[in-house]
């Protein structure tokens, strides 16, 4: 079993009103040094194979086809074990 | 002209859409379930509003990968008219029939109100009974209506006249780029829009400004004349 973590984040230049709202919340809590917040998604995946290379390729295909909307989002696949 | 309406788990404007198509077209549209693998013979496929699959992952993302959408894409390629309203618009962008994406409203709030829509292009199968530049009131009800496209795509759709509806100046409810409220694909047979014309077909219920869209798409005048 291959374990992987997929992160999906908004592309640079795409406005992130939710990140902005979180940033404002942190400022309200006194964390005034927070310069910016960009919100994203994390998918912890288990793939039933022993071939890490194949799993990575498949996960990238999953990102392209469903996990990310590549019009507005970037993705990163990290094999963690 | 025969119409059909696609139903997903979580669709909630399907009945309004069925009612509008029935009242204006004179014939009850076929209902198609999301797991179906075949469309009935149809001239107009409508993807209605709602919260398909609870908006999980992204609005419209899961619905766009349901079996029937393969058939909707094939029909669109063959020139059949396809119209997506609200969640339907989100689904049509997610499946790639329309360019761009619909993101969370810039104000982060669900917006439910009437807005003013400018008919930007009255030379499409869906808007030909309106006048270019005409402004009509139309209800919106959405959380993810903030249209976005990268600068290259945006230039293309603007240059091609694919922007069909724009929120009238100063009334953009969601932060949409260039005030875009509705677009068509390059071929002009697929329309997506956030506002709800199906809720604007009777004078007793807010007005009739949405009727012409259905009458255009379903070729009502042509059918009467025939």
């Amino acid at each position: 079993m291959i374990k992987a973590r997929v992160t999906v984040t908004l592309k640079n230049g795409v406005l992130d009103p939710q990140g902005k709202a979180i940033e404002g919340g942190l400022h309200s809590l006194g964390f005034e040094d927070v310069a910016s917040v960009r919100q994203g998604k994390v998918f912890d995946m288990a793939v039933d194979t022993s071939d890490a290379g194949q799993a990575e390729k498949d996960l990238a295909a999953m990102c392209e086809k469903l996990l990310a909307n590549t019009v507005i989002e970037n993705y990163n696949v990290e094999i963690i074990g | 002209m025969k119409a059909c309406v696609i139903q997903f788990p979580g669709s909630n404007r399907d009945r309004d859409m069925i009612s509008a198509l029935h009242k204006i077209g004179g014939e009850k549209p076929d209902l198609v379930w999301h797991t179906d693998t075949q469309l009935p013979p149809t001239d107009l496929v409508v993807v209605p509003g709602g919260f398909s699959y609870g908006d999980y992952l992204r609005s419209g993302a899961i619905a766009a990968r349901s079996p029937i959408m393969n058939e909707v894409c094939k029909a669109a390629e063959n020139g059949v008219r396809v119209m997506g309203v609200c969640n339907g618009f989100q689904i049509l962008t997610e499946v790639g029939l329309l360019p761009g994406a619909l993101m969370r409203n810039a104000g982060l709030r669900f917006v439910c109100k009437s807005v003013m829509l400018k008919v930007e292009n009255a030379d499409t199968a869906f808007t030909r009974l309106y006048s270019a530049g005409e402004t009509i009131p139309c209800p919106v009800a959405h959380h993810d209506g903030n249209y976005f496209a990268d600068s290259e795509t945006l230039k293309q759709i603007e240059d091609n006249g694919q922007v069909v509806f724009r929120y009238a100046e100063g009334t953009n409810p969601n932060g949409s780029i260039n005030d875009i409220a509705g677009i068509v694909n390059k071929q002009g047979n697929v329309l997506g829009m956030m506002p709800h014309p199906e809720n604007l077909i009777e004078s007793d219920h807010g007005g009739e400004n949405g009727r012409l869209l259905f009458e255009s798409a379903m070729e009502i005048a042509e059918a009467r004349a025939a």
Side-chain angles (χ1 to χ4, degrees), chain B:
Chain B
M1 199 172 201
K2 193 73 190 148
C4 72
V5 175
I6 314 286
Q7 291 180 305
F8 300 93
S11 294
N12 66 7
R13 297 297 186 116
D14 43 341
R15 284 163 196 263
D16 296 21
M17 190 59 80
I18 291 161
S19 171
L21 292 166
H22 192 175
K23 281 178 180 161
I24 296 169
E27 196 176 346
K28 204 167 179 190
D30 286 317
L31 299 185
V32 184
W33 186 233
H34 67 120
T35 53
D36 288 353
T37 51
Q38 219 178 347
L39 283 173
T42 192
D43 307 297
L44 174 67
V45 179
V46 184
V47 188
F51 297 87
S52 57
Y53 294 90
D55 277 352
Y56 292 169
L57 189 62
R58 296 177 304 276
S59 301
I62 310 288
R65 279 77 185 176
S66 58
I68 195 61
M69 288 311 294
N70 292 328
E71 301 309 305
V72 174
C73 289
K74 277 186 215 160
E77 274 167 34
N78 292 331
V80 172
R81 288 175 192 166
V82 177
M83 173 176 147
V85 170
C86 198
N87 190 218
F89 185 12
Q90 295 158 347
I91 293 167
L92 296 182
T93 57
E94 278 283 342
V95 81
L97 282 178
L98 291 171
L102 290 144
M103 309 200 307
R104 181 56 42 100
N105 292 346
L108 294 177
R109 289 174 192 272
F110 188 93
V111 180
C112 183
K113 62 179 185 183
S114 185
V115 297
M116 294 306 290
L117 276 189
K118 186 179 169 204
V119 181
E120 196 69 32
N121 183 349
D123 194 22
T124 76
F126 302 93
T127 53
R128 60 203 171 81
L129 296 176
Y130 292 99
S131 311
E134 179 181 354
T135 304
I136 58 168
C138 196
V140 292
H142 59 250
H143 208 164
D144 296 313
N146 184 353
Y147 183 79
F148 176 86
D150 62 50
S151 52
E152 195 181 322
T153 308
L154 193 62
K155 186 176 182 317
Q156 275 174 13
I157 63 174
E158 289 283 3
D159 291 352
N160 292 340
Q162 289 175 247
V163 177
V164 173
F165 294 110
R166 248 186 257 278
Y167 301 110
E169 207 179 331
T171 65
N172 184 337
N174 51 36
S176 270
I177 202 160
N178 290 13
D179 298 327
I180 289 171
I183 57 170
V184 286
N185 63 343
K186 206 170 177 184
Q187 295 72 29
N189 67 317
V190 180
L191 167 76
M193 62 190 294
M194 287 313 295
H196 289 277
E198 75 276 20
N199 293 146
L200 206 62
I201 61 153
E202 287 164 307
S203 55
D204 287 347
H205 295 104
E208 296 186 301
N209 301 84
R211 285 189 81 95
L212 292 181
L213 194 146
F214 294 96
E215 291 186 10
S216 301
M218 292 196 284
E219 299 184 2
I220 299 300
E222 289 83 344
R224 270 196 213 116

